[in-house]
Amino acid sequence: MTLNETHDVSHTSWVDSANAPGSDFTIQNLPYGVFRRKDSTDPFRIGVAIGDQILDLQAAFQAGLFAGEAREAAALVQGATLNAFMGAGQKAWGALRLALSRVLRSGSKDQTARAGLLVAQADADMALPARIGDYTDFFTSIHHATSVGKLFRPDNPLMPNYKYVPIAYHGRSSSIGVSGQSFPRPLGQTMPPGATAPSFGASKRLDYELELAVWVGSGNAQGARISIDRAEAHAFGMCLLNDWSARDVQAWEYQPLGPFLGKNFASTISPWVVTMEALEPFRTAWIRPQADPQPLPYLDSPENRVGGAIDIAVEAWLQTSRMKQAAIAPQRLSRSSFRHAYWTVAQMLTHHTVGGCNLQPGDLLGTGTQSGPTPEEAGSLLELSVGGKQSLQLPDGETRTFLEDHDTLTLKAYCEATGRARVGFGACSGTVLPAL
Ligand code: MN
């Protein structure tokens, strides 16, 4: 993909809030989500975020705003999920994005009439953007893999397969919720240090994981793998993902088949899908250190090396119950970037299908916890607290090693670069409730 007029930094929107400094939803972003009027029983519908507003794509379609290819594409966003549009492929995605850019751009015609097609985000409830058939979570940060490996297996932190295989586990899609989700603290089996038999009860080491996720666009037939040259064309967009993790449950159950109840009780995603086309200006070189094994040929391509990585800043913020009561703002726990990932989006998609597995529109591929090279860039409390041994200081004098009841954890992500318009993901928040 190359840059086109939808990326032009000189464009502003007639929706003024889109042009405000720090706006996540600029005219160059145009992410899709599913919404309805707050506290209503209206059917959910698809919209596009612009500033602090949502353009209602059903109303826009009925108002005759789209023509030709864009109208054909817009016909696929008239339901309550993005699956049909995700499956339509890059040409349809590009046609609708271009039309939306022109409709929402400053200087476009009929602005006053079009303002009636907007709904304030503050007046909307959001739903999952698509029906998620399958959810897979990768493990693409070597910094996370190494530091967590040190805690779980001091003698053998990084497994010998890590630098060859994009490691993942198959997760659970039924418990994925959209930002604003709350869930009871999970119960499970744990084996406390020094104990001779496991005990059962509420998790004492509940954690978050700071992740991004890739929404699969067009899928592949079973048995027909996606080559790395074609992989990017199958990725529709990205969102934030909090892969909540009960570390004590996980530590006892994870060998030999990987995570299970330690992670399947809840996962939270951000409601807006930022398209791969919107992320295009933030692509950067993917570099495999010379001293490391180079990828097997099926996971390697010149394009992937030139622009396979994407510079997306990711942050985790915590607000405790006491902070909420005292009106103390959330505290940032860490910040990193997806550019540090050991594997790219294209490599994740290609590897997932290389044995013949069929991906379907709306499948979700988590990137794994995005920890950066330094300890301060860690994407989980497990790492920031060094396995629960060092507590974090909060602004009101509280401390944390792991999450406590009524804590709200918020993930944020955004792309910023000189000469580019900001492209943000919005927020991904979730709150821990007491165990049932
Ligand atoms: Mn994870």
Side-chain angles (χ1 to χ4, degrees):
M1 197 186 288
T2 49
L3 299 190
N4 56 47
E5 74 170 73
T6 68
H7 302 105
D8 188 334
V9 72
S10 71
H11 293 318
T12 55
S13 174
W14 50 265
V15 180
D16 290 335
S17 55
N19 312 321
S23 171
D24 276 351
F25 305 127
T26 56
I27 185 80
Q28 291 81 8
N29 189 349
L30 303 173
Y32 297 96
V34 169
F35 76 101
R36 69 179 175 195
R37 285 186 190 274
K38 205 172 198 60
D39 303 323
S40 78
T41 53
D42 297 348
F44 278 100
R45 54 177 62 193
I46 297 169
V48 169
I50 181 76
D52 60 6
Q53 304 289 309
I54 303 169
L55 178 72
D56 180 336
L57 289 181
Q58 264 185 32
F61 187 71
Q62 284 160 14
L65 253 56
F66 308 112
E69 271 186 284
R71 185 173 170 79
E72 284 172 41
L76 301 175
V77 291
Q78 300 305 303
T81 67
L82 280 162
N83 297 79
F85 183 55
M86 288 170 161
Q90 269 183 325
K91 203 154 171 275
W93 308 337
L96 188 55
R97 174 178 162 87
L98 177 59
L100 288 167
S101 171
R102 290 175 177 171
V103 161
L104 290 166
R105 197 177 293 170
S106 301
S108 64
K109 61 179 182 183
D110 301 332
Q111 288 178 16
T112 315
R114 288 171 184 182
L117 308 174
L118 299 176
V119 174
Q121 285 172 33
D123 296 334
D125 287 331
M126 304 300 295
L128 289 176
R131 182 175 22 80
I132 303 169
D134 282 294
Y135 158 52
T136 304
D137 198 18
F138 281 83
F139 196 45
T140 68
S141 165
I142 194 170
H143 309 294
H144 173 70
T146 305
S147 56
V148 169
K150 266 183 204 149
L151 296 167
F152 281 49
R153 298 175 305 275
D155 50 330
N156 183 22
L158 194 68
M159 300 297 271
N161 58 4
Y162 187 86
K163 292 183 175 181
Y164 294 93
V165 185
I167 300 289
Y169 69 94
H170 280 117
R172 183 80 194 163
S173 52
S174 66
S175 51
I176 299 178
V178 76
S179 182
Q181 183 180 32
S182 55
F183 58 89
R185 177 178 295 273
L187 285 80
Q189 279 194 36
T190 61
M191 180 68 107
T196 51
S199 53
F200 176 79
S203 170
K204 296 184 178 72
R205 289 163 72 93
L206 184 59
D207 199 355
Y208 65 90
E209 289 195 324
L210 171 50
E211 305 196 16
L212 293 161
V214 180
W215 287 96
V216 173
S218 42
N220 59 302
Q222 193 173 1
R225 63 181 197 257
I226 298 173
S227 71
I228 191 146
D229 301 329
R230 291 290 305 148
E232 294 281 357
H234 290 262
F236 176 76
M238 298 182 75
C239 67
L240 282 157
L241 166 68
N242 184 345
D243 180 26
W244 305 95
S245 299
R247 299 302 183 191
D248 40 4
V249 175
Q250 183 186 352
W252 171 230
E253 75 175 1
Y254 87 106
Q255 286 182 321
L257 288 186
F260 184 33
L261 305 191
K263 287 173 181 278
N264 72 359
F265 53 92
S267 316
T268 309
I269 61 172
S270 54
W272 296 107
V273 182
V274 177
T275 63
M276 299 313 289
E277 191 171 352
L279 295 171
E280 197 61 22
F282 306 98
R283 287 192 171 276
T284 184
W286 174 80
I287 294 158
R288 176 57 57 87
Q290 281 296 322
D292 280 13
Q294 298 304 302
L296 294 183
Y298 81 95
L299 291 173
D300 204 357
S301 77
E303 295 75 19
N304 190 58
R305 289 189 182 250
V306 169
I310 313 173
D311 188 6
I312 305 172
V314 290
E315 299 179 348
W317 298 71
L318 176 65
Q319 193 180 34
T320 69
S321 172
R322 265 173 55 180
M323 289 165 71
K324 288 175 215 173
Q325 281 159 21
I328 297 170
Q331 162 87 356
R332 190 170 74 192
L333 301 181
S334 70
R335 176 164 185 261
S336 185
S337 169
F338 183 50
R339 76 173 184 274
H340 299 303
Y342 200 77
W343 301 103
T344 65
V345 170
Q347 288 167 327
M348 288 161 61
L349 277 152
T350 295
H351 184 69
H352 205 306
T353 64
V354 74
C357 174
N358 49 324
L359 294 176
Q360 303 186 90
D363 283 356
L364 195 66
L365 310 183
T367 61
T369 308
Q370 292 304 299
S371 299
T374 69
E376 304 78 52
E377 293 172 280
S380 68
L381 284 171
L382 180 68
E383 294 158 88
L384 292 171
S385 73
V386 195
K389 291 197 276 290
Q390 291 177 17
S391 52
L392 279 71
Q393 293 292 325
L394 298 176
D396 63 340
E398 288 182 280
T399 60
R400 283 290 180 279
T401 47
F402 292 97
L403 295 170
E404 296 190 6
D405 293 346
H406 307 292
D407 281 357
T408 295
L409 197 288
T410 299
L411 307 180
K412 295 180 188 176
Y414 52 90
C415 302
E416 284 181 344
T418 311
R420 302 287 182 214
R422 178 181 162 105
V423 167
F425 283 66
C428 175
S429 287
T431 300
V432 180
L433 301 177
L436 292 176

